[in-house]
Amino acid sequence: MSGPNDNFDPKQVAALSAEAIDGFVADALAAVGAAATTAELKQVRLLHAGDKSPLALANREIGALPPAARKEAGARVGKARGRVTEAIVTRQDELAASEQAAALIAERVDMTLPVDLHPQGALHPVTSLIDEMCDVFVAMGWEVAEGPEAEGEWYNFDALNLGPDHPARGEQDTLWIEPMGSGKLLRTQTSPVQARAMLTRDLPLYIVSPGKVFRADEYDATHLPVFHQLEGLVVDKGISMADLRGVLDHFAQAMFGDVTTRMRPHYFPFTEPSAEVDLQCFVCRGESGPDKPCRTCRSEGWIEWGGCGVVNPRVLQACGIDSEVYSGFAFGMGVDRTVMFRTGAPDLRDFVEGDIRFSRSTVVGGNR
Ligand code: DAH
């Protein structure tokens, strides 16, 4: 390459002639005009305005000219480079604008198109029914109370008048939490929430408590080791079995339409007197018999629903309530069973298999 002190070499500096420079400019402008995209224009910029472009090389040759010729050549090259740069900038703006406009059209989102949503889940029928059951009571001004699934032995048994040697303790196939003797278990019933409510809430008490319960039970079409109960408890002044009966009838009708309930004497340690509550069969309405069989109630006209009774004064006392002043009633029933009644779902194992088709097709609402 020529340095400023080299001798003037007419051949070497021919690149600085006006025709040569005009030729470079013409080539450059043609290439700029032909560039159809900003990417192509980038290449044009490299070739015609970059360090190795003819105009840049010509610029370097200026130093080889005799001092008197440098000014004019410098002006010519400078002007030529200016024209090329300006053309590139203008074209760049044009191309960028049209590319952006094209992108706006190509990437336009039609907000009115139907969206391909991910498949939606479904509420489990037990969850839906628990919500619906609670609504029945909340509508009467009751509160929903919850308690822990891993429960203390005292709440699950002792407070409910099931002392350490009570025979009914053994009937519930309790799942104990290790180490043995820790006094902790998986609650076998929602009844311990009664004790928790009596100990922590102000009187009068009107609560329902839905939730999971656990028993070392079979796993078959009619048994699950984990199932759901709904517990109800009222503690107030002047409460009697008649109030219980009225509430159960109202609840049964909210769940099953125009049916009645009946009570059969039974024994529960936490209620006295106690009863089992049966629903009038909501399919045959109690009209089945040997000549008119009903599968739902096995032609008995009644279906076992839950347990209930007047709260045993010993339970009130264990929870610090004056049983001379207050009385109450309680009841408890299986939610999973109630889903079966409401929907005809035949097999409890379907309840825990986790197949969304079961949840979708087992609709508890709307068949009253
Ligand atoms: N806890 C009982 C059970 O699991 C059901 C029950 C019966 C609840 C009578 C009650 C009641 O509140 O009063 O079998």
Side-chain angles (χ1 to χ4, degrees), residues 160 172 188-192 194 213 215 227 229-233 244 266-271 273-276 306-311 329-334:
L160 301 172
Q172 296 208 345
T188 58
Q189 48 189 349
T190 42
S191 306
Q194 291 188 23
V213 299
R215 293 187 194 177
F227 54 103
Q229 288 184 338
L230 180 99
E231 191 81 15
L233 171 71
L244 169 61
H266 197 72
Y267 172 76
F268 294 106
F270 28 92
T271 41
S274 303
E276 276 194 322
C308 63
V310 170
V311 180
F329 65 77
F331 57 88
M333 51 269 300

Side-chain angles (χ1 to χ4, degrees), residues 145-168:
E146 286 189 34
E149 291 168 2
E151 183 55 285
E153 175 180 2
W154 187 85
Y155 289 99
N156 196 79
F157 289 132
D158 301 67
L160 301 172
N161 194 32
L162 281 128
D165 301 320
H166 199 290

Side-chain angles (χ1 to χ4, degrees), residues 96-108:
S98 67
E99 277 171 17
Q100 196 189 4
L104 284 176
I105 291 167
E107 292 166 17
R108 192 175 65 183

Side-chain angles (χ1 to χ4, degrees), residues 261-296:
T261 59
R262 77 172 180 189
M263 288 181 180
R264 278 179 294 110
H266 197 72
Y267 172 76
F268 294 106
F270 28 92
T271 41
E272 183 57 40
S274 303
E276 276 194 322
V277 50
D278 292 344
L279 276 174
Q280 189 182 36
C281 178
F282 41 88
V283 175
C284 69
R285 306 269 165 190
E287 282 165 15
S288 58
D291 41 315
K292 207 177 157 207
C294 174
R295 270 168 52 213
T296 308

Side-chain angles (χ1 to χ4, degrees), residues 39-40 77 91 178 191 196 215 243 257 310 352:
E40 277 177 39
V77 174
R91 185 77 184 137
E178 287 202 317
S191 306
R196 289 186 173 272
R215 293 187 194 177
D243 302 301
V310 170
V352 291

Side-chain angles (χ1 to χ4, degrees), residues 187-232:
R187 66 179 180 189
T188 58
Q189 48 189 349
T190 42
S191 306
V193 185
Q194 291 188 23
R196 289 186 173 272
M198 286 190 252
L199 286 165
T200 56
R201 291 173 183 242
D202 293 334
L203 297 175
L205 267 178
Y206 289 80
I207 57 147
V208 274
S209 182
K212 281 193 173 64
V213 299
F214 307 80
R215 293 187 194 177
D217 223 339
E218 297 300 319
Y219 174 69
D220 60 32
T222 52
H223 297 88
L224 293 177
V226 182
F227 54 103
H228 300 79
Q229 288 184 338
L230 180 99
E231 191 81 15

